[in-house]
Amino acid sequence: MTPSTPEPPTLPNTVSTREGAAGGTGSLTCVDVHKSYRLAGREVPALRGVDLTLPGPGFFAIMGQSGSGKSTLLHLLAALDRPDRGEIHLAGRAIHSLSEREATLFRRREIGIVFQGFNLIPTLTALENVELPGMLGGDEPRALRGRAEALLARLGISERGGHRPDALSGGEQQRVAIARALLFSPPVLFADEPTGNLDSANAERLWTLLGELARERSMLVVMVTHEPAAAVHCERVIVLHDGRVTAEIGTEGLDAAGVASVYQRSVRAS
């Protein structure tokens, strides 16, 4: 009888006690969120009154075509920018009213962010890249090393910890970036088109992994995407069109083609 492949170790869920007064662990609420930019001397609206509620942990997608406002919305949700007006409550905090310093501290410990471009430091090993936020924050080195090694093991790349980014595949680099984002066990993980630089096989593995992390760690994972093949892995798809939420798609029973069809109908109807 052929021995079965062991399941990857699960990580302790360290976020279950992070409850906030305005929502709870991993909850997200947007109320009438507006954001505009000035371009060539004129004001260009990016978000035109976004209302959105994600009540708790799970894997969700914000889906929209280029120019829909999805990247702008992600930057506001991740406290990288502030809305012109409206409210954003995330993990129990009113992040729309945070000062710049408060927003920096909030991002450091309460939010993980994964970008399409990996953003790894080329002179550091994979393990050192994961440790870097904790090193900058003055964490105890031995405990930090243990957390980083556990994360790389969970993501299936512990044997690559001593390699620098240029010796890693695109899929491995993105897993290192995810491990780094999870270093402080944040209740919320944002992913901005995380598979844009990956081939289809690695993209599929990554979408599956994000869903597993949401379940294992009781996290809110929010992925920005324009791909139905990505969105179908999520529990619910928030459709953004011309700066507004125009529909929500439940993915149960749908394949990628089904998500694409419902998405197109919702855009035409808006």
Side-chain angles (χ1 to χ4, degrees):
M1 181 176 180
T2 303
S4 59
T5 302
E7 291 293 324
T10 57
L11 293 168
N13 181 353
T14 60
V15 301
S16 60
T17 61
R18 297 174 184 241
E19 295 292 337
T25 298
S27 62
L28 168 64
T29 303
C30 296
V31 181
D32 195 31
V33 172
H34 292 253
K35 184 68 179 179
S36 297
Y37 298 98
R38 293 201 66 80
L39 182 64
R42 65 190 183 93
E43 190 172 87
V44 178
L47 300 177
R48 307 168 185 254
V50 169
D51 293 302
L52 172 62
T53 300
L54 300 177
F59 187 22
F60 302 92
I62 297 173
M63 187 174 174
Q65 58 196 358
S66 179
S68 63
K70 61 184 186 296
S71 292
T72 296
L73 179 58
L74 180 71
H75 277 72
L76 298 183
L77 298 180
L80 293 166
D81 200 356
R82 298 178 67 176
D84 296 333
R85 74 173 191 266
E87 298 183 4
I88 303 174
H89 297 269
L90 179 64
R93 296 290 300 277
I95 65 171
H96 58 280
S97 60
L98 296 179
S99 68
E100 187 172 336
R101 173 170 172 72
E102 288 170 337
T104 298
L105 295 174
F106 182 76
R107 287 194 303 271
R108 184 177 299 168
R109 295 283 177 171
E110 304 296 326
I111 298 174
I113 309 174
V114 180
F115 296 101
Q116 178 178 321
F118 313 144
N119 294 349
L120 302 180
I121 306 300
T123 57
L124 300 182
T125 66
L127 186 59
E128 289 166 344
N129 266 284
V130 176
E131 292 175 323
L132 183 59
M135 293 169 60
L136 296 174
D139 285 28
E140 197 278 317
R142 185 177 300 179
L144 186 61
R145 176 58 55 96
R147 296 208 314 271
E149 288 176 340
L151 283 163
L152 290 180
R154 169 59 188 91
L155 300 187
I157 52 171
S158 58
E159 75 285 356
R160 308 293 283 165
H163 293 72
R164 290 187 171 88
D166 62 1
L168 304 175
S169 69
E172 289 170 341
Q173 290 185 57
Q174 191 59 288
R175 285 172 180 250
V176 173
I178 292 173
R180 182 180 58 192
L182 295 174
L183 184 66
F184 295 126
S185 296
V188 182
L189 179 69
F190 292 115
D192 188 7
E193 301 277 8
T195 58
N197 290 329
L198 303 182
D199 58 52
S200 58
N202 274 309
E204 186 74 23
R205 293 188 192 101
L206 188 64
W207 297 326
T208 300
L209 173 63
L210 291 174
E212 290 172 352
L213 290 171
R215 291 190 298 273
E216 286 177 13
R217 311 191 75 183
S218 296
M219 297 178 70
L220 174 64
V221 179
V222 180
M223 174 174 61
V224 165
T225 185
H226 66 278
E227 299 181 74
V232 75
H233 289 265
C234 301
E235 300 167 31
R236 193 174 1 140
V237 180
I238 311 302
V239 177
L240 200 65
H241 181 65
D242 286 343
R244 295 185 178 91
V245 173
T246 58
E248 296 190 12
I249 303 171
T251 61
E252 186 174 358
L254 295 179
D255 58 10
V259 170
S261 177
V262 177
Y263 169 77
Q264 291 296 336
R265 289 201 303 271
S266 71
V267 169
R268 287 194 297 268
S270 61

